[in-house]
Structures are given as structure tokens and as C-alpha cells.
Amino acid sequence: EEHAMRVEEIELEIRKLDNQIREFRSDMNTLNHEMRTMEEKVKQNKEKIKINSALPYLVGNVVEILDDEEESREDLVGSGME
């Protein structure tokens, strides 16, 4: 009977360990999913930063082009070539 009790205790411990393993795997899957989600957000945010960093230069170039066109028109009006 003492031997049977030990076997039952061992089997109980095995079931406890199996349950812990299942919980750890579930936690690992959840964390992996969260990590992939965060990596995707980081990727999107880096792209936004890249676009926003380029935007001031683009706006500056458009303003310069518009200023140049305005000056060209003024030159034409002043020279009577319009």
C-alpha cells in the first residue's frame, strides 16, 4: 500500500507538471503574438517617421518652386513679354 501511495503521488505530480507546461506554452504563444504585434507597430511607426522626416524637405521644395515661378512671372510682366 505504501508503494501504491507513492505511485499515486508521482502521477499527481506528473499531472501538475503537465498542466504547468500547458500554461507556459499558452503564455509563450500569447507573448509571441504580442511581440509580433508590437514589431508590426514599430515597423509602421518607423515608416511614418521616415515619411514625416522627408515631408518638410518636400514642402520646402514646393515653396521654392512656387517662389521661382512667381519671380519668373514678375520678370515677364516687368519686361512686357507677357
Side-chain angles (χ1 to χ4, degrees):
E1 187 172 307
E2 186 177 311
H3 183 304
M5 189 60 165
R6 285 191 211 156
V7 171
E8 288 175 7
E9 288 174 354
I10 291 172
E11 289 173 347
L12 178 64
E13 289 300 316
I14 289 171
R15 282 194 296 274
K16 286 180 183 178
L17 289 172
D18 285 341
N19 287 336
Q20 281 184 330
I21 289 170
R22 265 189 240 103
E23 288 179 33
F24 289 145
R25 283 187 178 143
S26 175
D27 290 346
M28 186 177 71
N29 288 335
T30 300
L31 291 171
N32 281 333
H33 175 71
E34 288 179 13
M35 184 177 70
R36 285 190 300 272
T37 301
M38 292 292 192
E39 286 172 343
E40 184 60 33
K41 286 182 182 179
V42 167
K43 181 180 173 185
Q44 291 172 355
N45 286 336
K46 283 183 177 181
E47 188 63 30
K48 286 179 185 177
I49 290 170
K50 183 178 174 183
I51 290 170
N52 287 335
S53 296
L55 188 61
Y57 299 113
L58 295 174
V59 171
N61 289 340
V62 169
V63 170
E64 289 176 18
I65 290 170
L66 293 176
D67 285 345
D68 288 345
E69 287 180 9
E70 185 66 31
E71 288 175 9
S72 295
R73 285 190 193 129
E74 288 174 2
D75 291 345
L76 288 175
V77 168
S79 66
M81 297 184 71
E82 186 180 17

Coordinates of all heavy atoms in Angstrom, one line a residue:
E1 N 0.8 -1.2 0.0 CA 0.0 0.0 0.0 C 0.9 1.3 0.0 O 0.5 2.2 -0.7 CB -0.9 0.0 1.2 CG -1.9 1.1 1.2 CD -2.9 1.0 2.2 OE1 -3.6 -0.1 2.4 OE2 -3.1 2.0 3.0
E2 N 2.0 1.3 0.7 CA 2.9 2.4 0.7 C 3.4 2.7 -0.6 O 3.5 3.8 -1.1 CB 4.0 2.2 1.7 CG 4.9 3.4 1.9 CD 5.9 3.1 3.0 OE1 5.6 2.6 4.1 OE2 7.1 3.4 2.7
H3 N 3.7 1.6 -1.3 CA 4.2 1.7 -2.7 C 3.2 2.3 -3.6 O 3.5 3.2 -4.4 CB 4.7 0.4 -3.2 CG 5.3 0.4 -4.6 ND1 4.6 0.9 -5.7 CD2 6.5 -0.1 -5.0 CE1 5.4 0.8 -6.7 NE2 6.5 0.2 -6.3
A4 N 1.9 1.9 -3.5 CA 0.8 2.5 -4.3 C 0.6 4.0 -4.0 O 0.4 4.7 -4.9 CB -0.5 1.7 -4.0
M5 N 0.8 4.4 -2.8 CA 0.6 5.8 -2.5 C 1.7 6.6 -3.2 O 1.4 7.7 -3.7 CB 0.7 6.0 -1.0 CG 0.3 7.4 -0.5 SD -1.3 7.8 -1.0 CE -1.6 9.1 0.0
R6 N 2.9 6.1 -3.2 CA 4.0 6.8 -3.8 C 3.7 6.9 -5.3 O 4.0 8.0 -5.9 CB 5.3 6.1 -3.6 CG 5.9 6.3 -2.2 CD 7.3 5.7 -2.2 NE 7.6 5.2 -0.9 CZ 8.5 4.3 -0.6 NH1 9.2 3.8 -1.6 NH2 8.7 4.0 0.6
V7 N 3.2 5.9 -5.9 CA 2.9 5.9 -7.4 C 1.8 7.0 -7.6 O 1.9 7.8 -8.6 CB 2.5 4.5 -7.9 CG1 1.9 4.6 -9.3 CG2 3.6 3.5 -7.8
E8 N 0.8 7.0 -6.8 CA -0.3 8.0 -7.0 C 0.3 9.4 -6.8 O -0.1 10.3 -7.5 CB -1.4 7.7 -6.0 CG -2.2 6.5 -6.3 CD -3.3 6.2 -5.2 OE1 -3.4 7.0 -4.3 OE2 -3.9 5.2 -5.3
E9 N 1.1 9.6 -5.8 CA 1.7 10.9 -5.6 C 2.6 11.3 -6.8 O 2.5 12.5 -7.2 CB 2.6 10.9 -4.3 CG 1.8 10.9 -3.1 CD 2.7 10.7 -1.8 OE1 3.9 10.5 -2.0 OE2 2.1 10.8 -0.7
I10 N 3.3 10.4 -7.3 CA 4.1 10.7 -8.5 C 3.3 11.0 -9.7 O 3.5 12.0 -10.4 CB 5.1 9.5 -8.8 CG1 6.1 9.4 -7.7 CG2 5.7 9.7 -10.2 CD1 7.0 8.1 -7.8
E11 N 2.2 10.3 -9.9 CA 1.3 10.5 -11.0 C 0.6 11.9 -10.8 O 0.4 12.6 -11.8 CB 0.2 9.4 -11.1 CG 0.8 8.1 -11.6 CD -0.2 7.0 -11.6 OE1 -1.3 7.1 -10.9 OE2 0.0 5.9 -12.2
L12 N 0.3 12.2 -9.6 CA -0.3 13.6 -9.3 C 0.7 14.7 -9.7 O 0.3 15.7 -10.3 CB -0.7 13.7 -7.9 CG -1.3 15.0 -7.4 CD1 -2.6 15.3 -8.2 CD2 -1.5 15.0 -5.9
E13 N 1.9 14.5 -9.3 CA 3.0 15.5 -9.6 C 3.2 15.6 -11.1 O 3.4 16.7 -11.6 CB 4.3 15.1 -8.9 CG 4.2 15.3 -7.4 CD 3.9 16.8 -7.0 OE1 4.5 17.7 -7.6 OE2 3.1 17.0 -6.1
I14 N 3.1 14.5 -11.8 CA 3.3 14.5 -13.3 C 2.1 15.3 -13.9 O 2.4 16.1 -14.8 CB 3.3 13.0 -13.8 CG1 4.6 12.4 -13.4 CG2 3.1 13.0 -15.3 CD1 4.7 10.9 -13.7
R15 N 0.9 15.1 -13.4 CA -0.2 15.9 -14.0 C -0.1 17.3 -13.7 O -0.4 18.2 -14.5 CB -1.6 15.3 -13.4 CG -2.0 14.0 -14.0 CD -3.5 13.7 -13.7 NE -3.7 13.5 -12.2 CZ -3.5 12.3 -11.6 NH1 -3.2 11.2 -12.4 NH2 -3.7 12.1 -10.4
K16 N 0.4 17.7 -12.5 CA 0.6 19.1 -12.1 C 1.7 19.7 -13.1 O 1.5 20.8 -13.6 CB 1.1 19.2 -10.7 CG 0.1 19.0 -9.6 CD 0.7 19.2 -8.3 CE -0.3 18.9 -7.1 NZ 0.4 19.1 -5.8
L17 N 2.8 19.0 -13.3 CA 3.8 19.4 -14.2 C 3.3 19.6 -15.6 O 3.6 20.6 -16.3 CB 5.0 18.5 -14.2 CG 5.8 18.6 -12.9 CD1 6.9 17.5 -12.9 CD2 6.5 19.9 -12.7
D18 N 2.5 18.6 -16.1 CA 1.9 18.7 -17.4 C 1.0 20.0 -17.6 O 1.0 20.7 -18.6 CB 1.1 17.5 -17.8 CG 1.9 16.3 -18.1 OD1 3.1 16.5 -18.4 OD2 1.4 15.1 -18.0
N19 N 0.2 20.2 -16.5 CA -0.6 21.4 -16.5 C 0.2 22.7 -16.6 O -0.1 23.7 -17.3 CB -1.5 21.5 -15.3 CG -2.7 20.4 -15.4 OD1 -3.1 20.0 -16.5 ND2 -3.2 20.0 -14.3
Q20 N 1.3 22.7 -15.8 CA 2.2 23.9 -15.8 C 2.8 24.1 -17.2 O 2.9 25.2 -17.7 CB 3.3 23.7 -14.8 CG 2.9 24.1 -13.4 CD 4.0 24.0 -12.4 OE1 5.0 23.3 -12.6 NE2 4.0 24.8 -11.4
I21 N 3.2 23.0 -17.8 CA 3.8 23.1 -19.2 C 2.8 23.7 -20.1 O 3.1 24.5 -20.9 CB 4.3 21.7 -19.6 CG1 5.5 21.3 -18.8 CG2 4.6 21.7 -21.1 CD1 5.9 19.8 -19.0
R22 N 1.5 23.2 -20.0 CA 0.5 23.7 -20.9 C 0.3 25.2 -20.7 O 0.1 26.0 -21.6 CB -0.9 23.0 -20.7 CG -1.1 21.9 -21.6 CD -2.5 21.3 -21.5 NE -2.4 19.9 -21.2 CZ -2.5 19.4 -19.9 NH1 -3.0 20.1 -19.0 NH2 -2.3 18.1 -19.7
E23 N 0.3 25.6 -19.4 CA 0.1 27.1 -19.1 C 1.3 27.9 -19.7 O 1.1 29.0 -20.2 CB 0.1 27.3 -17.6 CG -1.3 26.8 -17.0 CD -1.3 27.0 -15.5 OE1 -0.7 28.0 -15.0 OE2 -1.9 26.2 -14.8
F24 N 2.5 27.4 -19.5 CA 3.7 28.1 -20.0 C 3.7 28.2 -21.5 O 4.0 29.2 -22.1 CB 5.0 27.4 -19.6 CG 5.3 27.5 -18.1 CD1 5.9 26.5 -17.4 CD2 5.0 28.6 -17.4 CE1 6.2 26.6 -16.1 CE2 5.3 28.8 -16.1 CZ 5.9 27.7 -15.4
R25 N 3.2 27.1 -22.2 CA 3.1 27.2 -23.7 C 2.1 28.2 -24.1 O 2.3 28.9 -25.0 CB 2.8 25.8 -24.2 CG 4.0 24.8 -24.2 CD 3.6 23.6 -24.9 NE 4.8 22.7 -25.0 CZ 4.8 21.4 -24.9 NH1 3.7 20.8 -24.7 NH2 6.0 20.7 -24.9
S26 N 1.0 28.2 -23.4 CA -0.1 29.2 -23.7 C 0.5 30.6 -23.5 O 0.3 31.5 -24.3 CB -1.3 29.0 -22.8 OG -2.3 29.9 -23.0
D27 N 1.2 30.8 -22.4 CA 1.8 32.2 -22.1 C 2.8 32.5 -23.2 O 2.8 33.7 -23.6 CB 2.4 32.2 -20.7 CG 1.5 32.1 -19.6 OD1 0.2 32.4 -19.8 OD2 1.9 31.9 -18.4
M28 N 3.6 31.5 -23.6 CA 4.6 31.8 -24.6 C 3.9 32.2 -25.9 O 4.3 33.1 -26.6 CB 5.4 30.5 -24.8 CG 6.6 30.7 -25.7 SD 7.7 29.3 -25.9 CE 6.6 28.2 -26.8
N29 N 2.8 31.5 -26.3 CA 2.1 31.8 -27.5 C 1.5 33.2 -27.5 O 1.6 34.0 -28.4 CB 1.0 30.8 -27.8 CG 1.6 29.4 -28.3 OD1 2.7 29.4 -28.8 ND2 0.9 28.4 -28.0
T30 N 1.0 33.5 -26.3 CA 0.4 34.9 -26.1 C 1.5 35.9 -26.3 O 1.3 36.9 -27.0 CB -0.3 35.0 -24.7 OG1 -1.3 34.0 -24.7 CG2 -0.9 36.4 -24.5
L31 N 2.6 35.7 -25.6 CA 3.7 36.7 -25.7 C 4.3 36.8 -27.1 O 4.6 37.9 -27.5 CB 4.8 36.3 -24.7 CG 4.4 36.5 -23.2 CD1 5.4 35.9 -22.3 CD2 4.1 37.9 -22.8
N32 N 4.4 35.7 -27.8 CA 4.9 35.7 -29.1 C 3.9 36.5 -30.0 O 4.4 37.3 -30.9 CB 5.1 34.3 -29.7 CG 6.3 33.6 -29.2 OD1 7.3 34.3 -28.9 ND2 6.3 32.3 -29.2
H33 N 2.6 36.3 -29.8 CA 1.7 37.1 -30.6 C 1.8 38.6 -30.3 O 1.8 39.4 -31.2 CB 0.3 36.6 -30.3 CG -0.8 37.4 -31.0 ND1 -1.0 37.4 -32.3 CD2 -1.7 38.3 -30.5 CE1 -2.0 38.2 -32.6 NE2 -2.4 38.8 -31.5
E34 N 1.9 38.9 -29.0 CA 2.1 40.3 -28.6 C 3.3 40.9 -29.2 O 3.4 42.1 -29.7 CB 2.1 40.5 -27.1 CG 0.7 40.3 -26.5 CD 0.8 40.4 -25.0 OE1 1.8 40.9 -24.4 OE2 -0.2 40.0 -24.3
M35 N 4.4 40.1 -29.2 CA 5.7 40.6 -29.8 C 5.6 40.9 -31.3 O 6.0 41.9 -31.8 CB 6.8 39.5 -29.5 CG 8.2 40.0 -30.0 SD 9.4 38.8 -29.6 CE 9.0 37.5 -30.8
R36 N 4.9 40.0 -32.0 CA 4.7 40.2 -33.4 C 3.9 41.4 -33.7 O 4.2 42.2 -34.6 CB 4.1 39.0 -34.1 CG 5.0 37.8 -34.3 CD 4.4 36.7 -35.1 NE 3.2 36.1 -34.6 CZ 3.1 35.1 -33.7 NH1 4.2 34.6 -33.3 NH2 1.9 34.7 -33.3
T37 N 2.8 41.6 -32.9 CA 2.0 42.8 -33.0 C 2.8 44.1 -32.7 O 2.7 45.1 -33.5 CB 0.8 42.8 -32.0 OG1 0.1 41.6 -32.3 CG2 -0.1 44.0 -32.1
M38 N 3.6 44.1 -31.7 CA 4.5 45.2 -31.4 C 5.5 45.5 -32.5 O 5.8 46.6 -32.8 CB 5.2 45.0 -30.1 CG 4.3 45.0 -28.9 SD 3.6 46.7 -28.6 CE 2.9 46.5 -27.0
E39 N 6.1 44.4 -33.0 CA 7.1 44.6 -34.1 C 6.4 45.2 -35.3 O 7.0 46.1 -36.0 CB 7.7 43.2 -34.5 CG 8.7 42.7 -33.5 CD 9.2 41.3 -33.7 OE1 8.5 40.6 -34.5 OE2 10.2 40.9 -33.2
E40 N 5.2 44.8 -35.6 CA 4.5 45.4 -36.8 C 4.2 46.9 -36.5 O 4.4 47.7 -37.4 CB 3.2 44.7 -37.0 CG 2.4 45.2 -38.2 CD 3.2 45.0 -39.5 OE1 4.0 44.1 -39.7 OE2 3.0 45.9 -40.4
K41 N 3.8 47.3 -35.3 CA 3.6 48.7 -34.9 C 4.9 49.5 -35.0 O 4.9 50.6 -35.5 CB 3.0 48.8 -33.5 CG 1.6 48.4 -33.4 CD 1.0 48.6 -32.0 CE -0.4 48.1 -31.9 NZ -0.9 48.3 -30.5
V42 N 6.0 48.9 -34.6 CA 7.3 49.6 -34.7 C 7.6 49.8 -36.1 O 8.1 50.9 -36.5 CB 8.4 48.7 -33.9 CG1 9.8 49.3 -34.3 CG2 8.2 48.8 -32.4
K43 N 7.4 48.8 -36.9 CA 7.7 48.9 -38.4 C 6.9 50.1 -39.0 O 7.4 50.9 -39.7 CB 7.4 47.6 -39.1 CG 7.7 47.6 -40.5 CD 7.3 46.2 -41.1 CE 7.4 46.2 -42.6 NZ 7.0 45.0 -43.2
Q44 N 5.6 50.1 -38.7 CA 4.7 51.2 -39.2 C 5.1 52.5 -38.7 O 5.1 53.5 -39.4 CB 3.2 50.9 -38.8 CG 2.6 49.7 -39.4 CD 1.3 49.3 -38.9 OE1 0.8 49.9 -37.9 NE2 0.6 48.4 -39.5
N45 N 5.5 52.6 -37.4 CA 5.9 53.9 -36.9 C 7.2 54.4 -37.5 O 7.4 55.6 -37.7 CB 6.0 53.8 -35.3 CG 4.6 53.8 -34.7 OD1 3.6 54.3 -35.3 ND2 4.6 53.3 -33.5
K46 N 8.1 53.5 -37.7 CA 9.4 53.8 -38.4 C 9.1 54.4 -39.8 O 9.7 55.4 -40.2 CB 10.4 52.6 -38.5 CG 11.0 52.3 -37.2 CD 12.0 51.2 -37.3 CE 12.7 50.9 -36.0 NZ 13.7 49.8 -36.2
E47 N 8.2 53.8 -40.5 CA 7.8 54.3 -41.8 C 7.2 55.7 -41.7 O 7.5 56.5 -42.5 CB 6.8 53.3 -42.5 CG 6.5 53.6 -43.9 CD 7.8 53.5 -44.8 OE1 8.7 52.7 -44.5 OE2 7.8 54.2 -45.8
K48 N 6.3 55.9 -40.7 CA 5.7 57.2 -40.5 C 6.8 58.2 -40.2 O 6.8 59.4 -40.7 CB 4.7 57.2 -39.4 CG 3.4 56.5 -39.7 CD 2.5 56.4 -38.5 CE 1.3 55.6 -38.8 NZ 0.4 55.6 -37.6
I49 N 7.8 57.9 -39.4 CA 8.9 58.8 -39.1 C 9.7 59.1 -40.3 O 10.0 60.3 -40.6 CB 9.8 58.2 -38.0 CG1 9.1 58.2 -36.6 CG2 11.1 59.0 -37.9 CD1 9.8 57.4 -35.6
K50 N 9.9 58.1 -41.1 CA 10.7 58.3 -42.4 C 9.9 59.3 -43.3 O 10.5 60.2 -43.9 CB 10.9 57.0 -43.1 CG 11.7 57.0 -44.3 CD 11.8 55.6 -44.9 CE 12.5 55.6 -46.2 NZ 12.6 54.3 -46.8
I51 N 8.6 59.1 -43.4 CA 7.8 59.9 -44.3 C 7.7 61.4 -43.7 O 7.9 62.3 -44.4 CB 6.4 59.4 -44.4 CG1 6.4 58.1 -45.3 CG2 5.4 60.4 -45.0 CD1 5.1 57.3 -45.3
N52 N 7.5 61.5 -42.4 CA 7.4 62.8 -41.8 C 8.8 63.5 -41.8 O 8.8 64.8 -41.8 CB 6.9 62.7 -40.3 CG 5.4 62.4 -40.3 OD1 4.7 62.7 -41.2 ND2 5.0 61.7 -39.2
S53 N 9.9 62.8 -41.8 CA 11.2 63.4 -41.9 C 11.4 64.0 -43.3 O 12.0 65.0 -43.4 CB 12.3 62.4 -41.5 OG 12.1 62.0 -40.2
A54 N 10.9 63.3 -44.3 CA 11.1 63.8 -45.6 C 10.1 64.9 -46.0 O 10.4 65.7 -46.8 CB 10.9 62.6 -46.6
L55 N 8.9 65.0 -45.3 CA 7.9 65.9 -45.7 C 8.4 67.4 -45.6 O 8.1 68.1 -46.5 CB 6.7 65.7 -44.8 CG 5.4 66.5 -45.1 CD1 5.0 66.2 -46.5 CD2 4.3 66.3 -44.1
P56 N 9.1 67.8 -44.6 CA 9.5 69.3 -44.5 C 10.3 69.6 -45.7 O 10.2 70.7 -46.3 CB 10.3 69.4 -43.2 CG 9.8 68.3 -42.4 CD 9.4 67.2 -43.3
Y57 N 11.2 68.7 -46.2 CA 12.0 69.0 -47.4 C 11.2 69.1 -48.6 O 11.4 70.0 -49.4 CB 13.1 67.9 -47.6 CG 14.0 67.8 -46.4 CD1 14.0 66.6 -45.6 CD2 14.9 68.8 -46.1 CE1 14.9 66.5 -44.5 CE2 15.8 68.7 -45.0 CZ 15.7 67.5 -44.2 OH 16.6 67.4 -43.2
L58 N 10.2 68.3 -48.7 CA 9.3 68.3 -49.9 C 8.5 69.6 -49.9 O 8.4 70.3 -50.9 CB 8.3 67.1 -49.9 CG 8.9 65.8 -50.1 CD1 7.9 64.7 -49.9 CD2 9.6 65.7 -51.4
V59 N 8.0 70.0 -48.7 CA 7.2 71.3 -48.6 C 8.1 72.4 -48.9 O 7.8 73.3 -49.7 CB 6.6 71.4 -47.2 CG1 6.0 72.8 -47.0 CG2 5.5 70.4 -47.0
G60 N 9.4 72.4 -48.4 CA 10.3 73.5 -48.7 C 10.6 73.6 -50.2 O 10.7 74.7 -50.8
N61 N 10.7 72.4 -50.9 CA 11.0 72.4 -52.3 C 9.8 73.0 -53.1 O 10.0 73.7 -54.1 CB 11.3 71.0 -52.8 CG 12.7 70.5 -52.4 OD1 13.5 71.3 -52.0 ND2 12.8 69.2 -52.3
V62 N 8.6 72.7 -52.7 CA 7.4 73.2 -53.4 C 7.3 74.7 -53.2 O 7.1 75.4 -54.2 CB 6.1 72.5 -52.8 CG1 4.9 73.2 -53.3 CG2 6.1 71.0 -53.2
V63 N 7.6 75.2 -52.0 CA 7.6 76.6 -51.8 C 8.6 77.3 -52.7 O 8.4 78.3 -53.3 CB 7.8 76.9 -50.3 CG1 8.0 78.4 -50.1 CG2 6.6 76.4 -49.5
E64 N 9.8 76.7 -52.7 CA 10.9 77.3 -53.6 C 10.4 77.3 -55.0 O 10.7 78.3 -55.7 CB 12.2 76.5 -53.4 CG 12.8 76.7 -52.1 CD 14.1 75.8 -51.9 OE1 14.6 75.3 -52.9 OE2 14.5 75.6 -50.8
I65 N 9.8 76.3 -55.5 CA 9.4 76.2 -56.9 C 8.3 77.3 -57.1 O 8.4 78.0 -58.1 CB 8.8 74.8 -57.2 CG1 10.0 73.8 -57.3 CG2 8.1 74.8 -58.6 CD1 9.6 72.3 -57.3
L66 N 7.4 77.4 -56.2 CA 6.3 78.4 -56.4 C 6.9 79.8 -56.4 O 6.5 80.7 -57.1 CB 5.3 78.2 -55.3 CG 4.4 76.9 -55.4 CD1 3.5 76.8 -54.2 CD2 3.6 76.8 -56.7
D67 N 7.9 80.0 -55.5 CA 8.5 81.3 -55.4 C 9.2 81.6 -56.7 O 9.2 82.7 -57.3 CB 9.5 81.4 -54.3 CG 8.9 81.5 -52.9 OD1 7.6 81.9 -52.9 OD2 9.5 81.3 -51.9
D68 N 9.9 80.6 -57.3 CA 10.6 80.8 -58.6 C 9.7 81.1 -59.7 O 9.9 82.0 -60.5 CB 11.4 79.6 -58.9 CG 12.7 79.4 -58.0 OD1 13.0 80.4 -57.3 OD2 13.2 78.3 -58.0
E69 N 8.5 80.4 -59.7 CA 7.5 80.7 -60.7 C 6.9 82.1 -60.6 O 6.7 82.8 -61.6 CB 6.4 79.7 -60.7 CG 6.8 78.3 -61.2 CD 5.6 77.3 -61.1 OE1 4.5 77.7 -60.8 OE2 5.9 76.1 -61.3
E70 N 6.7 82.5 -59.4 CA 6.2 83.9 -59.1 C 7.2 84.9 -59.6 O 6.9 85.9 -60.3 CB 5.9 84.1 -57.6 CG 5.3 85.4 -57.3 CD 3.9 85.5 -57.8 OE1 3.1 84.5 -58.0 OE2 3.5 86.7 -58.1
E71 N 8.5 84.7 -59.3 CA 9.5 85.6 -59.8 C 9.6 85.7 -61.3 O 9.8 86.7 -61.9 CB 10.9 85.2 -59.2 CG 11.0 85.5 -57.7 CD 12.3 85.0 -57.1 OE1 13.2 84.6 -57.9 OE2 12.4 85.0 -55.9
S72 N 9.5 84.5 -61.9 CA 9.5 84.4 -63.4 C 8.3 85.2 -64.0 O 8.5 86.0 -65.0 CB 9.4 83.0 -63.9 OG 10.6 82.3 -63.4
R73 N 7.2 85.1 -63.4 CA 6.0 85.9 -63.9 C 6.3 87.4 -63.7 O 5.9 88.2 -64.6 CB 4.8 85.5 -63.1 CG 4.2 84.2 -63.5 CD 2.8 83.9 -62.9 NE 2.5 82.5 -63.1 CZ 2.1 81.7 -62.2 NH1 1.9 82.2 -60.9 NH2 1.8 80.5 -62.4
E74 N 6.8 87.8 -62.6 CA 7.1 89.2 -62.3 C 8.1 89.7 -63.3 O 8.0 90.8 -63.8 CB 7.6 89.4 -60.9 CG 6.5 89.2 -59.8 CD 7.1 89.3 -58.4 OE1 8.3 89.5 -58.3 OE2 6.3 89.1 -57.5
D75 N 9.1 88.9 -63.7 CA 10.1 89.3 -64.7 C 9.4 89.5 -66.0 O 9.8 90.4 -66.7 CB 11.2 88.2 -64.8 CG 12.1 88.2 -63.5 OD1 12.0 89.2 -62.7 OD2 12.9 87.2 -63.4
L76 N 8.5 88.6 -66.4 CA 7.8 88.7 -67.7 C 7.0 89.9 -67.7 O 6.9 90.7 -68.7 CB 7.0 87.5 -67.9 CG 7.7 86.2 -68.3 CD1 6.7 85.0 -68.4 CD2 8.5 86.3 -69.5
V77 N 6.3 90.2 -66.6 CA 5.4 91.4 -66.6 C 6.2 92.7 -66.7 O 5.9 93.6 -67.4 CB 4.5 91.4 -65.3 CG1 3.8 92.7 -65.1 CG2 3.5 90.3 -65.3
G78 N 7.3 92.7 -65.9 CA 8.2 93.8 -65.9 C 8.9 94.1 -67.3 O 9.2 95.2 -67.7
S79 N 9.1 93.0 -68.1 CA 9.8 93.2 -69.3 C 8.8 93.4 -70.5 O 9.2 93.6 -71.6 CB 10.6 92.0 -69.6 OG 9.8 90.8 -69.8
G80 N 7.5 93.3 -70.2 CA 6.5 93.5 -71.2 C 6.4 92.3 -72.1 O 5.8 92.4 -73.2
M81 N 6.8 91.1 -71.7 CA 6.8 89.9 -72.6 C 5.6 89.0 -72.3 O 5.6 87.9 -72.7 CB 8.1 89.2 -72.5 CG 9.3 90.0 -72.9 SD 10.8 89.0 -72.9 CE 10.5 87.8 -74.2
E82 N 4.7 89.5 -71.4 CA 3.7 88.6 -71.0 C 2.7 88.3 -72.1 O 2.2 88.6 -72.9 CB 3.0 89.2 -69.8 CG 1.9 88.3 -69.2 CD 1.2 88.9 -68.0 OE1 1.3 90.1 -67.8 OE2 0.6 88.1 -67.3

